[in-house]
Amino acid sequence: MGFIAALSRAKSAVKSHAMLRRMSNIPESTVYGGPKPQTPNQRVTLTNLKQKHRKGEPITVVTAYDYPSAVHLDSAGIDVCLVGDSASMVVHGHDTTLPISLDEMIVHCRAVARGATRPLLIGDLPFGTYESSTSQAVDTAVRVLKEGGMDAIKLEGGSPSRITAARAIVEAGIAVMGHVGLTPQAISALGGFRPQGKNLASALKVVETALALQEVGCFSVVLECVPPPVAAAATSALRIPTIGIGAGPFCSGQVLVYHDLLGMLQHPHHAKVTPKFCKKYAHVGDVINKALLEYKEEVTNGSFPGPAHSPYKISASDVDSFSNELQKLGLDKAASAAAEAAEKIGTA
């Protein structure tokens, strides 16, 4: 009995462990073992990113917002999946990133966490959830990890309050990615989606802000919409990886939005704001539109669904019995409809 009980407890422990998502911020080394070699099927960790950076290997990042896109990123072996507050625009149809709430962001984070088992997962802190105080910032970051299933958070900007927030979150034991250059949450102050670093003062501010974020413990910094020489200077000055988006080829890695790089969005609003720096690696939106038009046409002309897509059968004898019972109920039209459908579509 003792052996059976022990075996049962062991099975229960294994099952419980399997249910836990393998978050990449769990230390690789243990008291009993030590670091294990990373394989392509294991989760990407901050340690892996540091190793790639040290070796000069480019880091691949894609912004995604849901389970299907996360599965695609996983299959492609992308290093990092960023769940961006740009979901406000790409998914929810707003003109800016400002309206999205923390609760909405957490829903997106959860969906991505279910689909991506390999990439490092980073969740954006939405506007208004970390600026008021360090305690607010830490509480928000904790929710993104505990409820959203993320490994790290990203926050925008380099104002003193945001740098203080970054420091507090790092000191709370949470990995932080910074973001400088064009910071969409600051469009009110920037006067719109405007590139940064295009003059001396602005270029110096980009580098100085990136250094300040490094100083408070950020593990990486996104450089958005800055001239390549400015990005090159920041990358050279920092000891941590830079991730470029519209910042040229001299960063430690690159990030693009899933929908943008696939050429998925076609409606006028997103056509208007699709960034100049984004290369379309496919034209999925055209394929989607074509498929929807074909579907509409086939439903309209009655060719879908035909026999091939009507798989559930009833025997001829049961159809006769069914029709007879319908007639007894006074449902003559229904009986005739059943008989005609069986004749057209076939029976088992």
Side-chain angles (χ1 to χ4, degrees):
M1 290 295 290
F3 173 77
I4 294 174
L7 182 61
S8 177
R9 286 195 299 271
K11 287 182 177 179
S12 177
V14 169
K15 183 178 180 181
S16 176
H17 178 72
M19 291 174 67
L20 292 173
R21 182 177 166 277
R22 290 186 175 179
M23 296 181 69
S24 66
N25 53 17
I26 296 174
E28 292 184 7
S29 58
T30 67
V31 174
Y32 302 105
K36 292 183 173 62
Q38 186 80 5
T39 70
N41 296 322
Q42 290 178 319
R43 290 195 58 80
V44 175
T45 68
L46 293 182
T47 300
N48 302 136
L49 294 188
K50 290 176 183 176
Q51 291 170 345
K52 293 194 78 165
H53 180 233
R54 189 167 58 248
K55 295 176 182 178
E57 299 175 1
I59 297 167
T60 55
V61 186
V62 173
T63 297
Y65 316 104
D66 58 21
Y67 176 83
S69 56
V71 171
H72 286 145
L73 265 60
D74 206 64
S75 300
I78 299 297
D79 296 318
V80 179
C81 178
L82 171 64
V83 186
D85 62 351
S86 48
S88 178
M89 302 172 71
V90 179
V91 178
H92 297 278
H94 296 295
D95 286 332
T96 72
T97 64
L98 304 185
I100 198 165
S101 69
L102 177 59
D103 287 339
E104 288 171 325
M105 280 299 302
I106 287 174
V107 169
H108 287 295
C109 289
R110 285 175 175 167
V112 167
R114 294 185 195 107
T117 61
R118 183 185 178 276
L120 183 81
L121 303 182
I122 304 174
D124 257 343
L125 301 193
F127 178 72
T129 66
Y130 62 99
E131 298 91 342
S132 297
S133 66
T134 55
S135 59
Q136 181 203 33
V138 172
D139 289 346
T140 299
V142 167
R143 284 195 65 191
V144 171
L145 262 65
K146 292 188 70 172
E147 298 177 36
M150 297 290 99
D151 302 314
I153 64 95
K154 182 175 76 66
L155 53 76
E156 287 188 12
S159 65
S161 65
R162 294 185 179 216
I163 290 176
T164 300
R167 183 195 300 274
I169 296 169
V170 170
E171 289 178 352
I174 297 171
V176 177
M177 172 181 271
H179 183 157
V180 301
L182 192 167
T183 48
Q185 291 180 11
I187 60 166
S188 175
L190 296 176
F193 294 100
R194 298 182 181 278
Q196 301 297 300
K198 295 180 70 176
N199 58 49
L200 174 60
S202 182
L204 286 172
K205 184 179 178 181
V206 168
V207 176
E208 290 169 353
T209 303
L211 286 167
L213 289 166
Q214 174 183 262
E215 185 64 25
V216 297
C218 290
F219 70 88
S220 179
V221 175
V222 171
L223 303 176
E224 180 168 358
C225 294
V226 300
V230 178
T235 301
S236 177
L238 294 172
R239 302 184 306 275
I240 58 177
T242 58
I243 305 299
I245 178 165
F250 306 111
C251 298
S252 312
Q254 298 292 328
V255 58
L256 286 176
V257 171
Y258 178 85
H259 298 68
D260 290 343
L261 72 89
L262 292 179
M264 187 175 292
L265 296 175
Q266 298 296 309
H267 59 79
H269 169 71
H270 287 100
K272 179 178 68 177
V273 300
T274 298
K276 298 176 182 178
F277 55 75
C278 181
K279 178 178 179 179
K280 292 184 179 180
Y281 288 84
H283 295 278
V284 174
D286 293 340
V287 176
I288 292 172
N289 289 343
K290 181 175 181 293
L292 290 172
L293 288 170
E294 289 181 5
Y295 165 71
K296 177 185 176 182
E297 183 180 353
E298 289 193 3
V299 170
T300 302
N301 65 29
S303 62
F304 177 83
H309 296 98
S310 302
Y312 311 111
K313 306 299 183 184
I314 180 172
S315 68
S317 60
D318 279 338
V319 170
D320 291 339
S321 299
F322 181 46
S323 296
N324 289 334
E325 292 300 320
L326 289 172
Q327 288 175 341
K328 290 178 184 178
L329 294 170
L331 301 173
D332 292 347
K333 287 186 177 180
S336 297
E340 289 174 9
E343 186 176 345
K344 284 183 179 180
I345 210 74
T347 56

